[in-house]
Amino acid sequence: MAIMQLREAINLTLHQEMERDPNVIVLGEDIVGGMGTAGGPEAIGGIWKTTAGLYAKFGDRRVIDTPISESAIIGAAGAALAGKRPVAELMFADFIGVCLDQIWNQMAKFRYMFGGMSRCPAVIRIAYGAGRNAGPQHSQAAYAMMTAIPGLKVVIPSSPAEAKGLLTTAIRDDDPVLFFEPKALYAARGEVPDDEYLIPFGHARMVREGRDATIVTCGQLVDVAAGAADALAQQGVACDVIDLRTTSPLDEEAILDSVEQTGRLIVVDENPPRCGLAADIAGLVADKAFASLRAPIVQVTPPHTPVPFAPELEQAYLPSAARVETAVMRALEYR
Amino acid sequence: MQLGREQMLRAYRQMKIIREFEERSHAEIQTGEIAGFTHLYSGQEAVAVGVCENLTDADYIVSTHRGHGHCIAKGCDVKGMMKEIYGRADGLCKGKGGSMHIADVGKGMLGANGIVGAGAPLAVGAAIAARANGSDAVSIAFSGDGACNQGTTFEAMNMAVVLKAPAIFVFENNHYSEHTGVDYAVGTTGDIASRAEAFGMKVWRGNGCDYFAVDTVMREVLEHVRAGNGPAAVELDTERYFGHFEGDPQRYRGPGELDRIRAERDCLAAFRAKVTEAKLLEHADIDAIDAEVMGLIDEAVAEARAADRPDPANVLTDVYISY
Ligand SMILES: Cc1ncc(C[n+]2csc(CCOP(=O)(O)OP(=O)(O)O)c2C)c(N)n1
């Protein structure tokens, strides 16, 4: 085990998986950084520093710095049909808008609409999330929208170790995976296994355990929810905090088991509320664990607005630990 | 040089405002006063001002992520802009947009843009509107050399040609998209104008570090487009001084590259040299503008620092679908 940043965990995983499987290729804008400049390639190593060192090691057949052309980059999922395992980087989740056809109508549908003739083992790594004052076109969470698309697996790590385990699984998976990296956590540090480490999809992680209420969340809000749970514990309120890890497939069992114990559900999500992940999970529980509920389900999400720029506004937008605590207390008002 | 004295003074002042706005935001960003992502325009002033000084408020422009220069050149309120990048309540966009999304529709400034390549289709839309109104207004899409690789830009160029829309695609080739060189990323060996040409429009090329060259080209382009000949494209060769975004150490640049371009291609210095050598203006005229602009930017920074921060409740203003 070594202590490293989340971005380093991703970098390590890419190195290890590229070494292990010669079919893994990576591509994206500035992932080498410095191509065609006097400073030379690898002057940058990716804007998030997640791809540093790959070019030197694996060369330009496997490490492909692209023009600014997201549709063409994601279209490289075509390489997956041709036997490769492409791992594409989308700099910001917001840019999904530019290449949505390739994600939604193409890669998500190949296996099904070709009658199972071929699979599409492509991974898109996507930096997502608010909290860096990057404004309405560089801060969106977007994973709920992608979860709504049949044919896509959607993964959201919440720590460096989780990033390694889940990315390894994503690269080895034979179907398209959208891998959402919380950009607010790129510098977060934690212990990461040195050797091969896989976390299976569809298995949530119990972050805290308690019998009074269930908090379900993922990504950068896991720390927020855990913080709220710790504060509540001081007041004698014990919460289960569930990190979903993957929203597609979804670990229904973990959610339902917990709610059956606690009778109270709080869903904390970074996406806007309409047709979002919180509503989805609330719907699941209302459908399948209604009799266990002792209180109305509480959803903690941003308001139904774009992400504002000014720091004060963005803080008001993002779910905070205080809002999670209030939500739990509201659920506890029902006896 | 077809410019009168007043026009020259005005053009220089506009360029100087942009330069000073950027230098000061750069300094303020270092102090941590300005949050978020900022992309500075310093070095490229001759393009924004050379284009926009030939426009009126009735003409439209659509800008890029590197939008401060275009905003100032098109007449946006400089103090309102400064407050916006500080995220203040009475910033031009009430602190909702920040540096990458400054707009002033009344001035024909339809927005900076956080999405590379999004501007060209929007500009074609505004050109269609201008034509529908029967006016001779034009619509300008500013794009970088990187943005010209987006499919959106190709679609916009083709549709503008098909519709004979009064759109002008201004490509600012500053040789880099983020940290990647233009020769690597633009397949037509760095030549953007020839792509536009292939769509069937007339193209111009010019030195984007020479205000007078940009002005001359734009006069011709505007005459062509306002006469109803459909769209046109312009590729201007220019330089950016600061990193791609604030915080970029520019390791992709060659040794001495920045010093060299600053020394040899500075559009403000070139303007001063040209007009004083030709005895069109005195050094004193220009010094006076420099001093006045410094004062303006001092005030803008002081007012922005002191301005009210937004009330968190305003996260819900301008929400038109309540939930
Ligand atoms: C669709 C999209 N892809 C990528 C980015 C990230 N990005 C922002 S600016 C930029 C480079 C743009 O280069 P260019 O068009 O040459 O403009 P310049 O920065 O040189 O002014 C990139 C890749 C983005 N904002 N939007």
Side-chain angles (χ1 to χ4, degrees):
Chain A
M1 291 266 202
I3 301 223
M4 64 179 77
Q5 296 185 337
L6 190 145
R7 59 158 55 89
E8 292 166 338
I10 291 192
N11 186 265
L12 173 69
T13 310
L14 290 171
H15 274 278
Q16 290 181 343
E17 289 307 298
M18 289 191 79
E19 231 150 58
R20 177 182 171 272
D21 181 351
N23 279 323
V24 176
I25 58 174
V26 301
L27 68 167
E29 293 161 14
D30 265 326
I31 62 160
V32 178
M35 297 299 284
T37 69
E42 293 265 48
I44 297 299
I47 69 154
W48 304 116
K49 297 278 180 283
T50 49
T51 47
L54 293 174
Y55 180 79
K57 197 151 175 196
F58 301 104
D60 63 5
R61 295 281 176 95
R62 295 183 63 197
V63 182
I64 302 158
D65 200 303
T66 69
I68 309 176
S69 308
E70 285 83 7
S71 285
I73 296 167
I74 306 309
L81 291 180
K84 293 289 163 196
R85 289 184 175 274
V87 180
E89 176 173 297
L90 257 193
M91 246 180 225
F92 288 83
D94 316 70
F95 308 164
I96 286 172
V98 183
C99 52
L100 186 55
D101 178 62
Q102 296 294 327
I103 297 174
W104 185 27
N105 287 319
Q106 311 305 325
M107 64 191 294
K109 298 192 166 50
F110 290 145
R111 179 170 165 191
Y112 186 82
M113 79 183 169
F114 295 164
M117 184 194 314
S118 57
R119 303 181 77 161
C120 180
V123 178
I124 311 179
R125 295 181 36 242
I126 305 167
Y128 88 90
R132 293 177 58 131
N133 315 119
Q137 296 175 335
H138 279 70
S139 305
Q140 297 171 90
Y143 54 79
M145 200 163 65
M146 296 297 102
T147 304
I149 298 177
L152 297 178
K153 297 184 180 177
V154 179
V155 183
I156 310 128
S158 58
S159 75
E162 293 284 306
K164 180 169 186 194
L166 291 165
L167 183 58
T168 306
T169 306
I171 293 171
R172 297 188 194 179
D173 196 282
D174 282 335
D175 295 306
V177 178
L178 301 200
F179 189 84
F180 282 85
E181 298 167 9
K183 58 181 179 272
L185 297 186
Y186 271 133
R189 300 171 77 83
E191 282 200 335
V192 175
D194 305 316
D195 301 330
E196 183 171 274
Y197 178 49
L198 289 96
I199 298 173
F201 290 170
H203 291 270
R205 174 173 69 111
M206 194 65 92
V207 182
R208 295 281 188 279
E209 273 189 85
R211 69 201 167 308
D212 297 325
T214 301
I215 305 175
V216 173
T217 189
C218 65
Q220 65 162 315
L221 292 179
V222 170
D223 288 347
V224 173
D230 293 344
L232 286 161
Q234 304 280 314
Q235 304 164 46
V237 177
C239 298
D240 275 358
V241 177
I242 295 176
D243 172 4
L244 289 174
R245 289 177 164 159
T246 63
T247 56
S248 183
L250 181 70
D251 188 348
E252 293 192 9
E253 216 179 286
I255 300 167
L256 297 174
D257 279 356
S258 173
V259 172
E260 276 157 17
Q261 300 289 316
T262 65
R264 298 184 175 84
L265 173 67
I266 293 90
V267 200
V268 184
D269 179 28
E270 191 179 332
N271 290 274
R274 296 302 310 276
C275 299
L277 185 71
D280 186 55
I281 288 165
L284 169 80
V285 169
D287 194 14
K288 297 192 173 161
F290 186 74
S292 307
L293 285 172
R294 299 159 66 188
I297 297 166
V298 191
Q299 301 181 36
V300 182
T301 71
H304 194 59
T305 69
V307 189
F309 160 68
E312 296 77 10
L313 298 178
E314 194 178 33
Q315 285 317 308
Y317 173 93
L318 264 177
S320 61
R323 277 186 63 201
V324 176
E325 283 175 53
T326 310
V328 172
M329 293 316 272
R330 245 180 73 197
L332 281 164
E333 278 167 19
Y334 296 81
R335 283 287 147 195
Chain B
M1 289 182 233
Q2 319 172 38
L3 291 161
R5 179 182 162 82
E6 287 313 309
Q7 286 172 309
M8 278 187 292
L9 291 172
R10 199 187 131 83
Y12 180 81
R13 181 169 182 274
Q14 291 289 81
M15 292 203 293
K16 183 68 184 175
I17 292 175
I18 299 173
R19 177 65 55 90
E20 217 35 54
F21 189 95
E22 299 295 61
E23 299 283 340
R24 293 297 283 283
S25 346
H26 180 71
E28 288 293 293
I29 288 160
Q30 311 311 310
T31 69
E33 282 285 319
I34 295 172
F37 299 165
T38 340
H39 308 79
L40 299 181
Y41 191 73
S42 264
Q44 305 183 200
E45 293 86 350
V47 175
V49 179
V51 171
C52 294
E53 280 295 291
N54 284 294
L55 306 177
T56 73
D57 286 357
D59 297 309
Y60 302 105
I61 68 166
V62 180
S63 175
T64 67
H65 59 287
R66 201 175 300 291
H68 301 168
H70 306 137
C71 292
I72 291 170
K74 196 66 171 63
C76 293
D77 175 46
V78 172
K79 292 182 176 174
M81 284 177 58
M82 192 63 90
K83 286 182 186 160
E84 185 60 28
I85 69 175
Y86 271 81
R88 296 305 199 248
D90 60 348
L92 212 48
C93 305
K94 313 240 168 69
K96 292 275 187 62
S99 165
M100 258 190 297
H101 309 96
I102 296 175
D104 191 345
V105 174
K107 297 277 182 197
M109 165 58 208
L110 305 187
N113 209 310
I115 304 297
V116 170
L122 294 170
V124 173
I128 290 171
R131 203 183 55 167
N133 290 337
S135 81
D136 76 343
V138 301
S139 177
I140 309 249
F142 285 102
S143 306
D145 45 281
C148 83
N149 294 319
Q150 287 284 26
T152 43
T153 306
F154 284 68
E155 293 177 32
M157 287 199 286
N158 186 58
M159 197 161 101
V161 169
V162 169
L163 303 178
K164 275 196 147 199
I168 301 170
F169 302 89
V170 174
F171 292 105
E172 288 181 75
N173 186 346
N174 63 12
H175 318 126
Y176 293 96
S177 51
E178 292 206 343
H179 323 110
T180 300
V182 66
D183 294 339
Y184 175 80
V186 175
T188 37
T189 54
D191 172 24
I192 300 162
S194 64
R195 291 185 173 182
E197 212 155 24
F199 281 103
M201 68 182 100
K202 201 161 171 203
V203 308
W204 278 259
R205 292 173 175 82
N207 178 357
C209 294
D210 175 353
Y211 177 80
F212 296 97
V214 178
D215 177 69
T216 304
V217 162
M218 280 313 294
R219 284 166 192 261
E220 288 177 30
V221 174
L222 284 161
E223 196 180 297
H224 177 81
V225 175
R226 289 203 205 275
N229 292 310
V234 187
E235 178 176 351
L236 296 163
D237 184 83
T238 185
E239 305 289 352
R240 95 165 128 73
Y241 287 172
F242 290 109
H244 165 62
F245 54 85
E246 285 295 273
D248 160 20
Q250 308 210 62
R251 280 194 290 266
Y252 46 88
R253 300 248 193 203
E257 179 182 326
L258 257 178
D259 294 338
R260 196 167 57 248
I261 61 173
R262 274 186 188 257
E264 291 171 7
R265 297 203 74 198
D266 186 69
C267 57
L268 286 157
F271 188 103
R272 180 189 277 260
K274 211 163 213 170
V275 295
T276 51
E277 275 158 30
K279 304 238 180 296
L280 297 168
L281 296 174
E282 301 289 324
H283 280 290
D285 297 324
I286 292 180
D287 292 343
I289 292 175
D290 286 354
E292 183 248 327
V293 167
M294 298 285 261
L296 169 70
I297 300 295
D298 278 345
E299 277 175 35
V301 170
E303 286 181 26
R305 279 170 165 258
D308 287 341
R309 295 168 189 272
D311 178 343
N314 285 345
V315 77
L316 292 176
T317 50
D318 293 313
V319 169
Y320 41 86
I321 301 164
S322 55
Y323 165 62

